Amino acid sequence: MKRILLLLAIVGMTALQGCSNDDDRVDNDTVGLVFDINKSFNAQGEIIFPFNAGEVFSGDVVLIYWMESTTTNGNPVWRLIPQNIYFPNNEYPSISGYLTYNYDFTTTEAKIWTETDINLASIPNYSVGQFFRVIVVPGQNPIFARSAGNKGKTVTQTVDYKDYEAVVKAYGIKEENIVTRK
């Protein structure tokens, strides 16, 4: 009888070894949405685009990258906005001033806008046919995150969102799955 109890105790302890509570684990292989847009800024210096119902939820994070240039082998160089450009530069040596791309978002739309002291029509390489990549990272609803049940837990940020390649790697984004929206 003692041997049976000892055997059951050993089996029970072995079986319970596999149980754990990983509730605080961050899921880094989930991205809600990734797409490109290729648009020109309107007269007010804005690009506004809607999200479809159910694409962006309260607590999600929307990251927007501007394609600054391409490498010599044709790969895009992505920069997280806000992004500042100062003039004169190699493309416009006779223009003086600054241009900043910035953005905000809601659960229904995003807006990219410019802050500048330059007439946008005088710098078409920065205002016409601009490529942006939008990445929606699912997050936690901020109302629930502040609730008493959360007990003050925070998630440590481990991804450098300024580094596009780090974001792609961390969230498993596949270039072939990215579509361009009109």
Side-chain angles (χ1 to χ4, degrees), residues 60-124:
D60 287 353
V61 175
V62 175
L63 305 171
I64 301 180
Y65 294 85
W66 167 58
M67 190 172 79
E68 178 183 37
S69 62
T70 56
T71 62
T72 54
N73 59 359
N75 293 325
V77 176
W78 297 105
R79 301 282 181 232
L80 180 64
I81 58 177
Q83 196 63 228
N84 300 309
I85 299 107
Y86 297 98
F87 300 90
N89 64 16
N90 291 338
E91 292 177 282
Y92 297 101
S94 62
I95 294 178
S96 182
Y98 74 95
L99 167 68
T100 300
Y101 294 126
N102 210 335
Y103 75 103
D104 62 19
F105 67 93
T106 67
T107 57
T108 58
E109 72 177 17
K111 177 172 73 170
I112 303 170
W113 75 87
T114 59
E115 298 170 16
T116 186
D117 59 355
I118 303 169
N119 179 351
L120 284 178
S122 67
I123 51 171

Side-chain angles (χ1 to χ4, degrees), residues 17-80:
Q17 288 274 334
C19 296
S20 66
N21 183 357
D22 290 339
D23 291 345
D24 297 332
R25 185 175 58 85
V26 178
D27 181 7
N28 283 336
D29 65 348
T30 302
V31 172
L33 181 66
V34 180
F35 63 90
D36 290 343
I37 58 170
N38 177 10
K39 294 197 175 208
S40 298
F41 287 93
N42 64 21
Q44 292 77 36
E46 300 173 333
I47 296 173
I48 300 173
F49 54 93
F51 293 120
N52 297 322
E55 287 182 335
V56 179
F57 298 95
S58 178
D60 287 353
V61 175
V62 175
L63 305 171
I64 301 180
Y65 294 85
W66 167 58
M67 190 172 79
E68 178 183 37
S69 62
T70 56
T71 62
T72 54
N73 59 359
N75 293 325
V77 176
W78 297 105
R79 301 282 181 232
L80 180 64

